[in-house]
Amino acid sequence: MPEKEKNDKEVQIRLKTELKEYSVEDTPFSVPFSIDSSGLNTLLKGLLTNCDNVPEFDWLCFNDIVRGKLSDHLSEREDISTESIIELEYVEKCQAPKPENVANHDDWVSACRINGDLVLTGCYDNTVNIWSISGEKKLVIPGHSGPVKAVDWIERTDKGGTFVSASHDQKLNIYTWNSTSNSIENLNTCRGHERSVECVAVSPSKKHFISGSFDNTVKVWGASPSAEDDQDEGTEAKKPRGSSGRTVTRTPIQTLGGHKEAVGGVAWRGGEEIVSVSWDHTIKIWELELGGLKTELVANKALFSVSLGGERNDLLLVGGAERSIRLYDPKAGNDVKSAFTAHTGWVTSVCWSPTSANHFVSASHDMSLRVWDTRSCRTPLYEMTGHTDRILACHWLAGDIVSGAADNQLKFYKMAALK
């Protein structure tokens, strides 16, 4: 049992966890009020005498991580009585993200997407860039006449990959990269938006992608890079007049209108529904088969980014023109399930962990990346600093996190597996 400080009173706690292999009896314990996370870990290890190699744990108390003494943690909570039993949840402590490499660009890095051992970036110098996950530059692709605002992978193959880029020039380009010859081919140029294209997301089936724009619309496109695809709301994709190459001009399969201002972020919700967030403060869920709006949620600020996650992949994380990241359950309507507040600037990008229902990363104008546990609303697990200007994009896939910023840098981090 942890030692008591002089004149330290005791409080009753109850321990709980979702980790069945490390669970203990649901009975109250008396502990010093000044106990800290180290003391709690010592207490728990004493109870888990039949377990080998017991890990370290983080401790959650009233939706926040206990970083110091329990007494300090509760001192600001006037709504909590220390005379009642305090419930503490413990989760396995994850290792801090490890900074790995830095990739320098010639202008702001506004988009980044990982796929296996490669990273795709979009830059304000009008280029798309391919990097290895170790920071080696593979290829610079000039193809747009304006800043590249979003990128996403369509497919990775042994011979290279296919991806899409969206730009301020109102176009989206579909490229195929040949890794053997390290060459690129612009297979399709997608036209239809009337202002800057801000975001893009490829469907889980890889058959379609969606885009959002400053023209207030969301558009659905065919993702298969073939001139024979039916792309124009009933017509085939068509070659531009006078073109002798393979580049094909495409028009959208479907246009979804309803936002009153720019669409800042889009995401797929399964294979038949999509989510869009907008500067008009709304979150819209669309049914593609019906071509109409299914659900609308109203936030209180302009929104720039959305990511889906949770146990059933049905919870919405949104970031925008405020310091908080908000978590919504569409079934609960406009009520905010949780608000995560630690950033000191606008939140430009959020991305759920690909392997955990409880963890996500956020990027902000405050030049920091933060890794969060959804069970802790005020204190992130980790804060990563190093950028010297606003962070514009982030992505988390497998054990890698990347971030792009207005300091012209792409930063790489290694992230241990989470439970």
Side-chain angles (χ1 to χ4, degrees):
M1 178 68 66
E3 293 185 5
K4 291 174 59 177
E5 293 183 0
K6 189 176 181 180
N7 299 324
D8 190 11
K9 67 176 182 179
E10 290 192 341
V11 291
Q12 294 276 305
I13 64 169
R14 179 181 284 114
L15 308 182
K16 75 167 189 175
T17 187
E18 295 179 0
L19 305 171
K20 293 181 179 179
E21 65 270 37
Y22 301 122
S23 61
V24 295
E25 290 186 12
D26 185 21
T27 55
F29 296 89
S30 293
V31 298
F33 193 30
S34 62
I35 194 170
D36 58 13
S37 57
S38 176
L40 290 167
N41 274 299
T42 300
L43 169 65
L44 182 60
K45 288 179 180 179
L47 298 172
L48 296 173
T49 54
N50 295 326
C51 297
D52 296 326
N53 301 317
V54 176
E56 291 290 305
F57 297 94
D58 278 322
W59 296 84
L60 301 164
C61 179
F62 295 103
N63 299 320
D64 201 12
I65 294 177
V66 178
R67 289 300 191 198
K69 296 178 180 179
L70 183 60
S71 55
D72 295 336
H73 183 83
L74 297 175
S75 62
E76 298 177 358
R77 300 292 297 266
E78 296 180 356
D79 57 327
I80 299 169
S81 170
T82 56
E83 301 300 320
S84 59
I85 298 174
I86 299 169
E87 188 172 81
L88 297 176
E89 181 178 0
Y90 53 100
V91 297
E92 189 169 337
K93 189 180 182 70
C94 66
Q95 297 179 10
K98 181 182 178 183
E100 290 282 314
N101 301 290
V102 176
N104 292 309
H105 293 63
D106 291 333
D107 211 329
W108 295 2
V109 183
S110 48
C112 51
R113 296 291 290 186
I114 309 167
N115 191 320
D117 60 350
L118 295 176
V119 181
L120 201 61
T121 62
C123 186
Y124 261 66
D125 67 358
N126 307 351
T127 65
V128 178
N129 302 264
I130 303 175
W131 304 82
S132 72
I133 201 69
S134 61
E136 175 191 359
K137 182 182 289 186
K138 296 287 187 181
L139 194 63
V140 178
I141 307 160
H144 286 284
S145 57
V148 177
K149 303 302 291 291
V151 293
D152 201 3
W153 290 94
I154 297 173
E155 185 181 23
R156 277 291 306 277
T157 66
D158 294 338
K159 296 181 180 179
T162 305
F163 51 88
V164 59
S165 59
S167 171
H168 189 74
D169 65 11
Q170 306 177 15
K171 297 181 294 186
L172 298 101
N173 287 340
I174 300 176
Y175 296 99
T176 290
W177 174 58
N178 186 315
S179 58
T180 303
S181 61
N182 198 27
S183 60
I184 202 78
E185 187 171 9
N186 180 194
L187 297 177
N188 299 119
T189 295
C190 303
R191 301 175 186 271
H193 282 297
E194 297 177 358
R195 295 186 66 185
S196 173
V197 188
E198 294 295 297
C199 47
V200 66
V202 175
S203 69
S205 68
K206 309 300 182 185
K207 293 181 179 180
H208 300 92
F209 60 84
I210 50 177
S211 58
S213 166
F214 257 90
D215 65 10
N216 306 350
T217 68
V218 177
K219 293 184 183 291
V220 185
W221 313 79
S224 178
S226 168
E228 288 74 36
D229 279 351
D230 187 350
Q231 301 299 328
D232 184 13
E233 300 183 77
T235 67
E236 290 187 351
K238 50 196 176 185
K239 289 190 177 183
R241 186 178 301 172
S243 173
S244 59
R246 290 184 59 203
T247 302
V248 171
T249 296
R250 285 186 166 177
T251 48
I253 297 171
Q254 199 171 5
T255 297
L256 302 171
H259 284 296
K260 294 180 174 62
E261 293 190 51
V263 179
V266 290
W268 288 84
R269 191 171 184 248
E272 297 299 327
E273 293 183 357
I274 61 175
V275 182
S276 59
V277 298
S278 170
W279 289 37
D280 66 9
H281 305 187
T282 66
I283 304 163
K284 295 182 187 291
I285 300 176
W286 310 83
E287 280 192 353
L288 292 185
E289 186 175 350
L290 299 177
L293 185 65
K294 177 183 178 181
T295 305
E296 179 180 272
L297 307 176
V298 180
N300 60 346
K301 296 288 183 180
L303 301 174
F304 309 144
S305 180
V306 60
S307 183
L308 273 73
E311 292 289 349
R312 295 178 297 277
N313 202 42
D314 58 353
L315 301 180
L316 307 178
L317 274 173
V318 297
E322 63 172 335
R323 297 183 298 112
S324 296
I325 302 137
R326 298 187 185 271
L327 179 64
Y328 290 89
D329 182 348
K331 295 189 295 292
N334 287 323
D335 293 338
V336 177
K337 186 177 177 67
S338 301
F340 305 91
T341 304
H343 283 295
T344 58
W346 289 2
V347 178
T348 50
S349 184
V350 290
C351 183
W352 217 292
S353 164
T355 58
S356 169
N358 296 313
H359 298 89
F360 68 92
V361 64
S362 61
S364 171
H365 280 182
D366 66 11
M367 301 182 288
S368 75
L369 279 177
R370 299 178 194 241
V371 174
W372 298 82
D373 187 312
T374 56
R375 294 160 292 194
S376 175
C377 297
R378 293 193 299 171
T379 306
L381 292 176
Y382 295 106
E383 177 183 356
M384 294 99 88
T385 59
H387 281 293
T388 57
D389 207 334
R390 294 162 295 166
I391 303 179
L392 306 177
C394 65
H395 189 225
W396 187 350
L397 189 65
D400 297 291
I401 295 175
V402 293
S403 59
D407 60 6
N408 303 357
Q409 291 189 335
L410 177 74
K411 291 189 179 292
F412 301 76
Y413 301 86
K414 284 293 181 185
M415 189 72 197
L418 298 169
K419 293 186 179 182

